[in-house]
Amino acid sequence: RKEVEQDPGPFNVPEGATVAFNCTYSNSASQSFFWYRQDCRKEPKLLMSVYSSGNEDGRFTAQLNRASQYISLLIRDSKLSDSATYLCVVNIRTGGFKTIFGAGTRLFVKA
Amino acid sequence: NAGVTQTPKFQVLKTGQSMTLQCAQDMNHNSMYWYRQDPGMGLRLIYYSASEGTTDKGEVPNGYNVSRLNKREFSLRLESAAPSQTSVYFCASSVSAGSQPQHFGDGTRLSIL
């Protein structure tokens, strides 16, 4: 089982739709959580950190459920420019630390 | 605002050749990382440096060496390149290791023939 698993993609949605991504992690020592976006042939860029209380940044909402070990990302009112791959990232404290990236979920937003 | 700068951006090598990928950050970050990204797989950590003067293995360190030259610079060396090392390599940095988000360079596309 992968340490971080994401929804299989791709997701194809029309402009204006609401889309949700889920990510599960297996290591209970996971300490911090992030969502990144990656455009084709570009570097990953931080979208938002994920806090236990949930957090919102404009059209984007991230939530963390420690008991069930999953995080989610909700995108409201999708724009064409939201088309990208969304990466779930988990930092695990294990003496040292490990950063584990999910394989990503591809999103296509169509006019 | 340069952020994280990687050189070169593209490189083609023959099997057995060696080369060093360079990375520098100007954000005064303590921690730096090297990843590789292959199709259908997430980024995998090769090596990281939690602070100047320290380096540690990540998930896939075999075939690579690193040097944390100073606080700004972290290089990745392939001593004897193999076709399995064909990949996109990303360098990243963060304020500290383990809890802070990482900021990435724009990658080096490496092909080994």
Side-chain angles (χ1 to χ4, degrees):
Chain A
R1 182 185 173 188
K2 294 181 181 178
E3 289 192 88
V4 175
E5 295 198 73
Q6 295 189 237
D7 286 349
F11 284 29
N12 294 285
V13 303
E15 271 188 298
T18 295
V19 60
F21 301 136
N22 291 321
C23 170
T24 58
Y25 60 94
S26 60
N27 194 318
S28 59
S30 299
Q31 285 200 324
S32 56
F33 309 86
F34 307 94
W35 284 102
Y36 282 71
R37 71 170 278 166
Q38 186 174 25
D39 295 289
C40 189
R41 299 180 69 78
K42 299 287 188 181
E43 74 275 20
K45 292 185 178 178
L46 178 67
L47 181 64
M48 57 198 304
S49 302
V50 186
Y51 303 118
S52 297
S53 55
N55 48 300
E56 187 173 308
D57 183 2
R59 298 181 293 108
F60 299 85
T61 301
Q63 293 195 317
L64 166 63
N65 185 319
R66 285 190 183 272
S68 301
Q69 298 189 179
Y70 79 82
I71 68 174
S72 64
L73 176 68
L74 186 75
I75 305 175
R76 292 181 298 277
D77 189 22
S78 300
K79 312 292 185 191
L80 294 176
S81 58
D82 293 334
S83 296
T85 297
Y86 290 83
L87 307 174
C88 167
V89 182
V90 174
N91 282 338
I92 302 169
R93 179 69 63 179
T94 56
F97 89 98
K98 289 196 302 184
T99 296
I100 307 295
F101 279 75
T105 302
R106 191 79 170 90
L107 172 65
F108 294 96
V109 181
K110 299 184 176 180
Chain B
N1 281 347
V4 179
T5 302
Q6 292 183 232
T7 56
K9 299 213 182 316
F10 302 94
Q11 185 70 49
V12 178
L13 293 177
K14 294 181 180 178
T15 298
Q17 288 186 314
S18 61
M19 81 161 294
T20 300
L21 307 186
Q22 307 287 352
C23 176
Q25 52 91 10
D26 62 2
M27 296 176 283
N28 200 35
H29 284 171
N30 291 302
S31 303
M32 298 185 73
Y33 315 81
W34 276 105
Y35 292 90
R36 61 178 288 172
Q37 187 173 34
D38 301 296
M41 304 184 74
L43 279 82
R44 292 182 294 169
L45 184 64
I46 303 171
Y47 272 93
Y48 70 98
S49 171
S51 60
E52 186 179 357
T54 70
T55 60
D56 286 285
K57 295 179 180 179
E59 182 183 355
V60 289
N62 291 344
Y64 305 95
N65 286 299
V66 291
S67 295
R68 183 75 183 266
L69 303 170
N70 48 55
K71 190 172 185 178
R72 290 187 64 247
E73 299 173 286
F74 188 39
S75 62
L76 178 72
R77 183 160 179 83
L78 286 71
E79 291 290 352
S80 178
S84 61
Q85 294 177 304
T86 293
S87 189
V88 181
Y89 291 84
F90 289 102
C91 176
S93 70
S94 66
V95 171
S96 61
S99 61
Q100 298 298 317
Q102 297 173 22
H103 302 266
F104 285 79
D106 54 10
T108 295
R109 283 164 178 75
L110 181 62
S111 293
I112 298 158
L113 307 178

